[in-house]
Amino acid sequence: MRRIALLVAALLLAVAAPALAAPPRRDQGEANLRPRTIAVWAPIRHYIVPSAAPASSLAEVSLVQVSRALRAQVEADPRHRLISEEPLTRLLSAQRDEAQSDLRFVATRSAQLGVEYFKQSDLRSAVDQLEEAQSLLERTGLFWTDPTLAVTVWRTLALAELELAQGAQEGSEGQTLHEAKATAAFKELIRWAPGERFSREDYPAEVVATFERAYLEHLLSLGSDLRVRTAEAKRLATQLGVEELVFAFAISSSDETVVGLQFFDAASQQFVVDETKRVAPAAAADTYSMLLSDALACQPPRFLPPDPAGIDTGHTYASAGYNGGSFLDTPTRAPFYTQGASVQVSHMLSENAGLYAGGRFVFGRRDTDGDLLDRVDMARTDFGATFAIRNQRFRAYGSMGIDVAFVGAVTATEDFWCKVTGGEVRAIDSSRACRGNDITRTAAQAQAGLGWTIGGQVLLGGPFWASLDANTAIYMLPFGERPFDIPMGGSLQLGYRF
Amino acid sequence: MPRPYVVLALLLAAAGCGPPAELIGVYEEAAPLELGRTRAIRLTLFAYSGEAGGKMETFLLGDQNTTEDPYLVPEACAYFGPRDISNSAFALDVRFGETPFAGRVFDVSSGDRAELELTEGEALLRSPVIPGRRFVLVRNEERSANDSCGETGDALTPEGSL
């Protein structure tokens, strides 16, 4: 009866396993793909030419709306997965490692020294220190997480260069060079701080004029120097862990607005869209939307393949560990336990199905009644088909196949005096004896049948998995007496996914 | 990662696969024996899964076996059991030829000692008859349990013949 119940259970498992392993999907191909991760840099920088009337420019509040609209537009596209709403600068700061913190300290120190030298009118030393600070900040991408530092560096550098220009001989090459450097510094200052201003009340006319010229150059060049550079986009995408990044900016004068949109693809390491358009301020929002639509449409029409770490097809799982078990059919009255080691290897031919082979090498300790006169050693090997379902962290599997067991010689008895004589058939006295028919003896033999395993795995980290399974088998060969049948066991294993 | 209780359950299962609850040993009274004793006894016990049996040897005290060194030359050997062990005790029932010897062995499961309380055949040991008296038998670790009586028969020697 017990055998029939097990057989029915086994058949049900065999029938249900494929269905469990591979639930029907409408589009198997689509299920194996995943959306790209994307971030939209916010806030959108708005550069308003100092001479422009505030009322005529794109209002700050509308840029916030545009920023939200861009995010919503990306979010609506199922091929992309927008990363968290958390401000990106905070994400970047959180990922700042110790080395970056050290560099930041050095950069900050150089900037402070530069400012001090500038206040003491030691302009050359100031420029040296500020250029050092600027180089460090640029190299580490710290401008993106600490714009305040950027403003200090670029503003002081621009002012120092201007003073050097004023101190140089009129019309000399040195004067031209320092003026150019001052303009370049102002342009960088504007890039990081669109709202920075130099009023005629506070600064000399030359400073205000140079700063406004720098702003105008940005407008005339349609913001070519305001764009995010490829190296910067690469670093940001890596730090944020995204595959695509969207940057937008706007430059407004009294009568026109230039909107720019950059779409960086980390896979190709380049901007797939990098466009600016001169538009009327009222049309800015629509232009952004149009540019972003173009950018999204330019992307490959499908999702990316799933994360390689999540694909099982073609991969092999190998594991080894402890195996413990017992048999439902034994020549002993008390349960007979086995312990030992087990190994298992499965190779996935598809996401849900593959082949497996396993081995269990166990020894059976004597039963608690002492019916077994000697230890029985066994080796079980099984091979067949395996079915699995998994997500990123958990994996469930079921296997079915041929189970071959090699069972060592068995000597068992329930007779007291046979236990005393250690299985030797002889008379003890006139009324006591160990008789031959009181002992069950089986030579070492191989037996074969069907085996099943069901188990679960949990990802420990990297390619390492821990697994726990339960296994059983029903032996059919050889026909006739088999001392041990229907093993029931479990394994706790540590595995590696190749 | 498997939860700790899963691992614990497996370890407990493994611990449950212990060796058989068997006891095999040779038990003797500690020398010197009391004055007035005529024989010393030795029990070789075999206990498996709630049953105990074995052999009992007697040693007639005299010139060869003395109270100080009583276990040199066996006099008689007979088998007993198997009998059920209950509360760590079992009934002992041996016949040396026509002479019955009965009692109860206690404290079997302790392993290193056993106590024998006689109900019949006390005269065999010629020991003062005290109802409920128990003879303490100590396990002799140096002697391995042998299930054979060998050449020793089960007949007792008439006292004084040696």
Side-chain angles (χ1 to χ4, degrees):
Chain A
M1 190 65 194
R2 194 169 49 187
R3 278 179 189 233
I4 292 170
L6 276 168
L7 202 59
V8 170
L11 285 172
L12 284 174
L13 179 63
V15 171
L20 286 172
R25 287 171 177 154
R26 271 184 221 159
D27 183 350
Q28 187 73 34
E30 193 169 301
N32 287 335
L33 299 170
R34 67 175 173 82
R36 294 162 184 264
T37 50
I38 188 170
V40 178
W41 190 266
I44 293 176
R45 287 192 179 141
H46 189 197
Y47 303 93
I48 303 168
V49 175
S51 55
S56 64
S57 62
L58 193 62
E60 196 74 31
V61 65
S62 69
L63 274 182
V64 172
Q65 286 167 351
V66 167
S67 177
R68 284 189 192 138
L70 288 180
R71 292 174 65 86
Q73 192 174 344
V74 169
E75 233 165 2
D77 188 332
R79 297 172 306 167
H80 298 88
R81 185 174 65 79
L82 195 64
I83 67 163
S84 112
E85 288 286 333
E86 193 173 6
L88 299 179
T89 47
R90 198 182 305 163
L91 272 180
L92 286 176
S93 300
Q95 294 185 4
R96 190 190 288 156
D97 60 20
E98 202 173 316
Q100 270 194 310
S101 296
D102 290 346
L103 281 175
R104 185 179 188 280
F105 174 78
V106 175
T108 308
R109 189 79 194 115
S110 291
Q112 285 169 343
L113 273 174
V115 172
E116 283 303 313
Y117 283 131
F118 177 70
K119 282 179 182 168
Q120 294 163 13
S121 298
D122 184 352
L123 299 175
R124 297 215 176 266
S125 298
V127 167
D128 287 347
Q129 287 297 331
L130 291 166
E131 282 179 346
E132 173 70 17
Q134 170 256 322
S135 165
L136 282 170
L137 291 168
E138 212 160 57
R139 218 166 59 211
T140 54
L142 283 167
F143 280 152
W144 289 87
T145 52
D146 199 345
T148 317
L149 197 56
V151 169
T152 305
V153 170
W154 290 119
R155 184 206 286 129
T156 316
L157 189 59
L159 294 174
E161 289 288 359
L162 266 184
E163 283 201 28
L164 284 170
Q166 284 165 7
Q169 195 180 350
E170 187 72 25
S172 69
E173 198 176 315
Q175 187 183 44
T176 312
L177 182 68
H178 287 305
E179 279 174 354
K181 281 187 167 182
T183 306
F186 273 138
K187 285 177 80 172
E188 279 299 312
L189 172 63
I190 293 164
R191 182 170 180 243
W192 295 107
E196 187 75 3
R197 292 291 180 265
F198 289 85
S199 67
R200 292 181 196 281
E201 289 79 32
D202 299 329
Y203 288 93
E206 294 83 4
V207 172
V208 177
T210 310
F211 177 75
E212 288 185 353
R213 191 166 58 247
Y215 228 115
L216 203 61
E217 279 184 22
H218 276 315
L219 181 67
L220 293 174
S221 68
L222 297 180
S224 66
D225 291 333
L226 296 174
R227 291 185 177 95
V228 177
R229 289 141 201 170
T230 303
E232 291 172 331
K234 269 163 66 175
R235 188 189 300 118
L236 288 171
T238 305
Q239 286 179 328
L240 292 169
V242 294
E243 290 158 314
E244 292 166 341
L245 261 172
V246 177
F247 301 96
F249 65 92
I251 314 171
S252 297
S253 68
S254 303
D255 51 0
E256 67 175 354
T257 290
V258 173
V259 297
L261 189 125
Q262 292 175 282
F263 194 103
F264 182 75
D265 177 44
S268 59
Q269 303 268 292
Q270 62 181 2
F271 288 101
V272 290
V273 168
D274 190 354
E275 277 199 50
T276 47
K277 278 192 184 297
R278 208 183 289 269
V279 295
D286 288 344
T287 308
Y288 278 123
S289 176
M290 187 192 70
L291 287 173
L292 184 59
S293 292
D294 287 351
L296 294 173
C298 282
Q299 290 308 94
R302 300 295 305 169
F303 301 80
L304 285 178
D307 183 352
I311 302 174
D312 271 349
T313 308
H315 285 272
T316 300
Y317 285 87
S319 55
Y322 168 83
N323 181 268
S326 184
F327 287 82
L328 289 188
D329 273 6
T330 73
T332 62
R333 291 167 294 176
F336 167 76
Y337 296 107
T338 60
Q339 290 187 86
S342 63
V343 294
Q344 194 156 9
V345 177
S346 60
H347 181 74
M348 300 306 290
L349 299 174
S350 72
E351 279 305 284
N352 300 115
L355 299 173
Y356 85 97
R360 298 175 186 88
F361 311 97
V362 298
F363 61 90
R365 301 178 74 170
R366 291 182 62 194
D367 57 300
T368 52
D369 282 342
D371 290 354
L372 274 180
L373 295 178
D374 282 310
R375 204 182 83 182
V376 181
D377 296 332
M378 298 180 196
R380 278 178 62 198
T381 180
D382 53 346
F383 52 91
T386 186
F387 307 94
I389 48 174
R390 68 164 285 188
N391 61 21
Q392 289 297 315
R393 193 164 174 75
F394 298 100
R395 185 170 183 267
Y397 60 92
S399 308
M400 193 176 104
I402 304 296
D403 190 303
V404 180
F406 303 91
V407 182
V410 177
T411 309
T413 184
E414 294 179 13
D415 183 79
F416 181 86
W417 294 108
C418 286
K419 290 177 189 175
V420 171
T421 64
E424 183 186 344
V425 177
R426 61 177 163 87
I428 302 296
D429 62 11
S430 57
S431 60
R432 298 174 176 87
C434 170
R435 297 171 185 86
N437 55 7
D438 289 331
I439 299 181
T440 303
R441 291 183 200 276
T442 313
Q445 67 176 23
Q447 46 194 55
L450 290 176
W452 295 264
T453 300
I454 55 169
Q457 288 176 299
V458 60
L459 181 64
L460 298 177
F464 293 99
W465 293 76
S467 65
L468 186 66
D469 73 37
N471 54 76
T472 186
I474 294 179
Y475 297 111
M476 296 153 188
L477 296 172
F479 298 116
E481 187 64 25
R482 290 183 296 274
F484 293 100
D485 205 346
I486 316 180
M488 306 286 287
S491 295
L492 179 63
Q493 298 181 319
L494 181 66
Y496 189 92
R497 178 182 176 276
F498 294 93
Chain B
M1 190 73 188
R3 293 186 184 281
Y5 62 79
V6 176
V7 179
L8 184 64
L10 280 168
L11 290 175
L12 287 176
C17 318
E22 65 182 24
L23 174 71
I24 300 172
V26 177
Y27 293 82
E28 299 168 342
E29 283 184 275
L33 300 182
E34 68 204 55
L35 290 173
R37 285 282 294 276
T38 54
R39 286 184 173 85
I41 54 171
R42 174 191 285 158
L43 290 182
T44 302
L45 283 182
F46 297 88
Y48 302 102
S49 57
E51 284 186 318
K55 67 177 184 184
M56 179 173 171
E57 293 167 278
T58 62
F59 296 81
L60 187 64
L61 300 179
D63 295 337
Q64 288 178 303
N65 303 318
T66 63
T67 52
E68 284 77 22
D69 194 5
Y71 301 104
L72 289 177
V73 182
E75 175 200 19
C77 176
Y79 291 91
F80 59 90
R83 302 293 291 267
D84 287 342
I85 299 172
S86 173
N87 295 325
S88 197
F90 68 93
L92 180 76
D93 190 358
V94 197
R95 288 193 79 82
F96 289 100
E98 296 302 314
T99 311
F101 188 91
R104 196 163 177 79
V105 180
F106 294 91
D107 206 12
V108 179
S109 57
S110 74
D112 56 352
R113 66 194 292 279
E115 292 181 10
L116 172 63
E117 185 179 308
L118 297 179
T119 54
E120 190 174 5
E122 197 167 356
L124 190 81
L125 303 179
R126 192 61 64 81
S127 184
V129 179
I130 303 170
R133 175 186 173 177
R134 291 184 180 182
F135 296 89
V136 176
L137 305 174
V138 181
R139 182 169 185 156
N140 185 343
E141 299 284 355
E142 292 170 6
R143 183 172 286 276
S144 61
N146 182 341
D147 64 72
S148 172
C149 279
E151 298 297 313
T152 309
D154 63 1
L156 294 171
T157 309
E159 287 170 33
S161 64
L162 292 178

